[in-house]
Amino acid sequence: MNHQTPPPEPIRELAHLGHHGLYTPDLDGSLWYFVDLLGMDIVEREGSTVYLRAYGDYERWTLRLSQREKPGLEYVSWRMWSPQALDRRVEWLEKHGLGGSWVTQEYGKGPAYQFEDPDGHVFRLYYETENYVAPEGKKPVIPVNVQAYAGRGANVHHCDHVNLLAQDVRACREFWEEAFGLRSYEIIRRADGSEVGAWMSSSLQGHELIYTQDNTSGNGRLHHFAYVVPTREEVLRASDIFADARIYIEAGPSKHTAIQGFYCYTREPGGNRIEVANGGYFVFAPDAEPYVWNLEEWSQKPGWGAPIPPQFHLYGTPVVDPEKELVR
Ligand SMILES: [Fe+2]
């Protein structure tokens, strides 16, 4: 093998998806969904903002739910590998005219640098954080675990990935690849070079950040957050829990073609789409190229996953076109 012209050194400065903010017009309903049905815990509450975590999260909190008139995304964050990595990425953003500003964070998290992606979604980068310390009664028997097995509701372990809607998927993908070294593992591309979907990751995990086409005129919208359970069977169990709770199951339980995760999609009472997920493959080869689907190949939908309902490709939060998006 010829290494005379080596590829550029990859940027490896994002450690993992961090904590995220969601807006809900029905805070009590959303809390019932996240706490009783998903099995997450409330860590702090301050007025109409509530901080939560799943039982596998090592950080003190990972979800900030705030009451607002409309549902939608407040921000997505990444934890950095080091304070130096944080400084380097901020420097890159500012040098390229894409900078934002520093924001103060609550309850044990250090300052974050906040900026927007090309579609207007708000992102934060941070390093300092406070770890969760389980109180008596929640201490795990195996000390490397964060807390004792929760065993409540769907019993989600942590947030697995975030799917955002974008007017220009390709521009968003190229931004994250260039600025942060995210790897794209699968892409759906039209004949004209524009893209319908891109599945990206900072790690071996098949997807952390996904962009799919926004088929409305909206910007900065959320398609879904996905919370992981350790087995496929637990996705089915979650579906039983949602059904008896009269929660609308929009898609699944079934298996995706891209990245091949097993899924169940619901909408929490505030209107945000949430997935309970399991699986998806890992990519070990450091030089793996993304798999690029053309539309014809994609439409054949190889594999056994169930058809996705049309509103899955329209509905996002905040809703911009209720007539189209809300048809079930
Ligand atoms: Fe997903």
Side-chain angles (χ1 to χ4, degrees):
M1 187 159 250
N2 184 351
H3 287 300
Q4 279 179 343
T5 313
E9 183 66 20
I11 306 166
R12 291 285 174 267
E13 303 203 318
L14 301 178
H16 60 82
L17 284 176
H19 55 95
H20 313 307
L22 262 188
Y23 294 133
T24 172
D26 178 4
L27 186 60
D28 288 343
S30 296
L31 286 174
W32 167 68
Y33 177 93
F34 282 100
V35 174
D36 292 12
L37 303 186
L38 288 194
M40 294 173 70
D41 281 334
I42 294 175
V43 179
E44 299 286 349
R45 182 166 195 152
E46 197 178 311
S48 57
T49 300
V50 182
Y51 300 80
L52 301 107
R53 61 183 293 282
Y55 82 96
D57 286 325
Y58 73 87
E59 292 185 81
R60 185 172 167 198
W61 61 272
T62 52
L63 177 65
R64 176 183 139 109
L65 268 181
S66 304
Q67 176 96 30
R68 286 286 190 288
E69 195 182 329
K70 290 180 178 176
L73 182 72
E74 184 184 12
Y75 65 86
V76 171
S77 82
W78 294 96
R79 188 163 185 224
M80 311 302 290
W81 272 112
S82 65
Q84 297 91 326
L86 175 55
D87 289 344
R88 281 191 293 267
R89 289 307 98 201
V90 169
E91 193 184 328
W92 189 97
L93 288 167
E94 293 187 342
K95 190 172 140 196
H96 289 79
L98 301 167
S101 57
W102 289 95
V103 295
T104 305
Q105 304 194 109
E106 311 82 16
Y107 299 115
K109 295 196 193 295
Y113 191 77
Q114 185 164 295
F115 64 99
E116 292 184 5
D117 73 3
D119 198 74
H121 300 94
V122 175
F123 277 85
R124 290 182 181 183
L125 309 174
Y126 70 106
Y127 176 72
E128 288 173 39
T129 193
E130 185 180 314
N131 287 358
Y132 175 74
V133 179
E136 283 307 322
K138 285 192 175 179
K139 292 207 183 294
V141 65
I142 300 177
V144 296
N145 289 345
V146 180
Q147 74 164 74
Y149 189 76
R152 190 176 69 247
N155 197 36
V156 297
H157 188 266
H158 66 276
C159 181
D160 180 77
H161 60 267
V162 173
N163 188 152
L164 305 177
L165 294 167
Q167 294 298 327
D168 188 341
V169 168
R170 184 164 190 156
C172 292
R173 175 181 65 75
E174 289 177 346
F175 166 73
W176 284 100
E177 287 182 1
E178 192 184 346
F180 293 95
L182 281 194
R183 299 177 69 195
S184 297
Y185 290 138
E186 297 193 34
I187 295 168
I188 308 171
R189 188 173 291 156
R190 299 183 185 92
D192 66 3
S194 64
E195 293 173 3
V196 180
W199 285 260
M200 292 183 289
S201 180
S202 70
S203 71
L204 306 184
Q205 184 186 327
H207 48 7
E208 282 187 294
L209 179 62
I210 304 165
Y211 283 94
T212 46
Q213 179 72 57
D214 195 326
N215 292 307
T216 73
S217 59
N219 283 100
R221 300 206 306 155
L222 174 70
H223 189 272
H224 68 270
F225 279 8
Y227 284 89
V228 73
V229 289
T231 64
R232 286 187 185 182
E233 178 61 32
E234 285 162 274
V235 179
L236 301 178
R237 183 177 168 277
S239 305
D240 286 335
I241 291 169
F242 292 136
D244 274 334
R246 282 23 174 211
I247 289 286
Y248 171 54
I249 296 178
E250 182 183 21
S254 191
K255 182 183 170 181
H256 277 304
T257 304
I259 313 297
Q260 302 171 40
F262 199 72
Y263 63 82
C264 172
Y265 288 93
T266 58
R267 296 194 200 147
E268 54 88 19
N272 296 296
R273 184 188 282 111
I274 305 291
E275 175 186 7
V276 172
N278 169 258
Y281 56 74
F282 297 106
V283 179
F284 293 97
D287 52 359
E289 292 292 327
Y291 187 80
V292 181
W293 299 83
N294 62 42
L295 284 189
E296 190 189 356
E297 187 184 22
W298 179 253
S299 67
Q300 289 165 4
K301 199 170 170 41
W304 52 262
I308 294 278
Q311 75 269 20
F312 190 78
H313 301 299
L314 282 169
Y315 182 84
T317 46
V319 170
V320 295
D321 190 349
E323 219 166 274
K324 275 196 209 161
E325 290 184 65
L326 294 174
V327 174
R328 285 183 183 180

